[in-house]
Amino acid sequence: MSHTVAVDVGGTQLRVAVYGPDGITPIHQKRISTRSTQNTAIERLIDLIASVWSGQKSVSSIGIAVPGPTDPKLGVIYAAPNIPGWKNIPLRQILEDRFGVPAYLGNDANLAALAEWRFGAGQGHHNLVYLTISTGIGGGVITEDRLLLGESGLAAELGHITLIPDGPLCGCGLPGHLEAYASGTAIARFVREELAKGCPSTLPWQPAPTAKEINQAAQQGDALAIQAISQAGQFLGYGIANFLQIFNPSIIILGGGVSRSGPHWWDAMQQALHRSVISQAYLQSLTVTLSALGDDAGLLGALALARDGQREVI
Ligand SMILES: [Zn+2]
């Protein structure tokens, strides 16, 4: 009976879980913080895997979801902006050398799309677009029953399409991307700027409100908060209209904290989306829904990737 070790590398937490040959309920799981003054994130990752490995001698593969541009064919992480020092890391080789089983690597948002397709809200669909909207915006695409990876595994960076070339700076450092208009960071920045200009609001100027606090204020009728949330939803709708025209999916799955922003956000997103597609045919068989797997999507995507042993296929 072979087991799979799945790992989700986050900017704040490293999560690991051991799964049996079937099902998505872990036999064992553990999480630790990614950063420490004692050792590097790679050492912590290896120690964490080793700690669940003992007693699981039949582990046949490791799957890893990583937060940044990754080449799944080479098993290299090009960059992980939230983890200091992670640049061009041959993580697959490092783990295979250490543990002696095949390791499979993927971008966390791509793998979350894979997980939602295999185990979550996207089951039964053949063409799916997944977006996770929180501090940043990540994406993943299933097209004709395959995870879209592109030439170097870098496809589906859906948060970094340019909406307005001289717009505000995105988390990636470039201007005017979708993430700079529709992420939680963008919502918080807009409110901070409006408060600094003296815009009336129930929100305090100091400390600067978070996207979550702004969402709560919007639910209670604060006009500035409603404007911020609606605007973010509207920009996301424009982005989704682009994705419909590129990928023609039958389902859009929205995850991340901002996707739980409520009716102001949802309605603005839907209106913008309906206004900006070139044909209503894109909408006829389209479902737009919230993610089903929540925070476990990255981990379950790593599980699916490792179980498939897709290295040769992709
Ligand atoms: Zn960007």
Side-chain angles (χ1 to χ4, degrees):
M1 296 280 272
S2 67
H3 292 69
T4 304
V5 170
V7 186
D8 187 12
V9 178
T12 50
Q13 283 197 324
L14 297 173
R15 294 180 64 194
V16 66
V18 184
Y19 296 90
D22 303 300
I24 57 168
T25 306
I27 295 167
H28 187 41
Q29 59 180 324
K30 223 170 167 180
R31 64 175 79 196
I32 59 171
S33 75
T34 306
R35 297 179 193 211
S36 159
T37 49
Q38 314 297 322
N39 47 14
T40 67
I42 293 215
E43 287 165 347
R44 293 174 71 69
L45 177 63
I46 288 173
D47 289 349
L48 182 64
I49 296 172
S51 74
V52 297
W53 198 282
S54 53
Q56 304 290 348
K57 295 200 169 22
S58 63
V59 171
S60 57
S61 59
I62 305 171
I64 313 133
V66 293
T70 299
D71 189 331
K73 295 169 195 166
L74 298 176
V76 172
I77 303 171
Y78 291 119
N82 292 321
I83 305 176
W86 276 34
K87 225 169 190 181
N88 300 321
I89 306 262
L91 188 60
R92 184 174 76 199
Q93 199 59 55
I94 292 170
L95 295 180
E96 288 186 349
D97 289 349
R98 169 65 177 76
F99 294 102
V101 299
Y104 303 98
L105 205 63
N107 167 273
D108 55 3
N110 279 349
L111 293 188
L114 182 65
E116 288 288 347
W117 178 50
R118 193 65 62 79
F119 309 121
Q123 291 177 78
H125 288 264
H126 306 292
N127 294 281
L128 170 161
V129 170
Y130 169 83
L131 286 158
T132 174
I133 310 135
S134 54
T135 312
I137 296 183
V141 174
I142 302 289
T143 187
E144 296 176 357
D145 291 320
R146 276 176 80 94
L147 179 65
L148 179 72
L149 293 171
E151 183 65 22
S152 316
L154 302 175
E157 286 291 353
L158 306 181
H160 302 283
I161 58 162
T162 303
L163 292 187
I164 298 170
D166 58 357
L169 282 187
C170 179
C172 70
L174 295 172
H177 288 176
L178 174 60
E179 180 176 304
Y181 288 98
S183 63
T185 309
I187 293 169
R189 188 198 58 239
F190 175 77
V191 166
R192 205 168 55 238
E193 287 171 359
E194 292 302 302
L195 289 173
K197 286 183 209 160
C199 180
S201 170
T202 57
L203 287 159
W205 187 51
Q206 288 290 350
T210 63
K212 198 173 173 187
E213 288 161 350
I214 295 164
N215 185 33
Q216 282 160 358
Q219 313 287 349
Q220 287 157 15
D222 182 88
L224 175 61
I226 290 172
Q227 188 189 352
I229 295 283
S230 305
Q231 204 168 269
Q234 186 180 36
F235 279 114
L236 185 73
Y238 293 138
I240 291 175
N242 287 331
F243 307 144
L244 291 182
Q245 287 159 178
I246 299 168
F247 302 112
N248 188 199
S250 57
I251 187 166
I252 302 275
I253 301 176
L254 304 173
V258 174
S259 71
R260 270 62 180 168
S261 290
H264 295 296
W265 179 82
W266 185 266
D267 294 348
M269 180 268 292
Q270 288 277 13
Q271 280 169 21
L273 153 62
H274 280 73
R275 263 204 312 274
S276 34
V277 280
I278 54 165
S279 164
Q280 297 302 300
Y282 288 104
L283 308 171
Q284 273 160 13
S285 57
L286 180 71
T287 302
V288 184
T289 190
L290 297 176
S291 62
L293 303 175
D295 290 346
D296 291 336
L299 208 52
L300 291 170
L303 169 69
L305 183 73
R307 272 191 187 156
D308 288 356
Q310 283 193 352
R311 195 189 315 171
E312 282 75 29
V313 187
I314 61 181

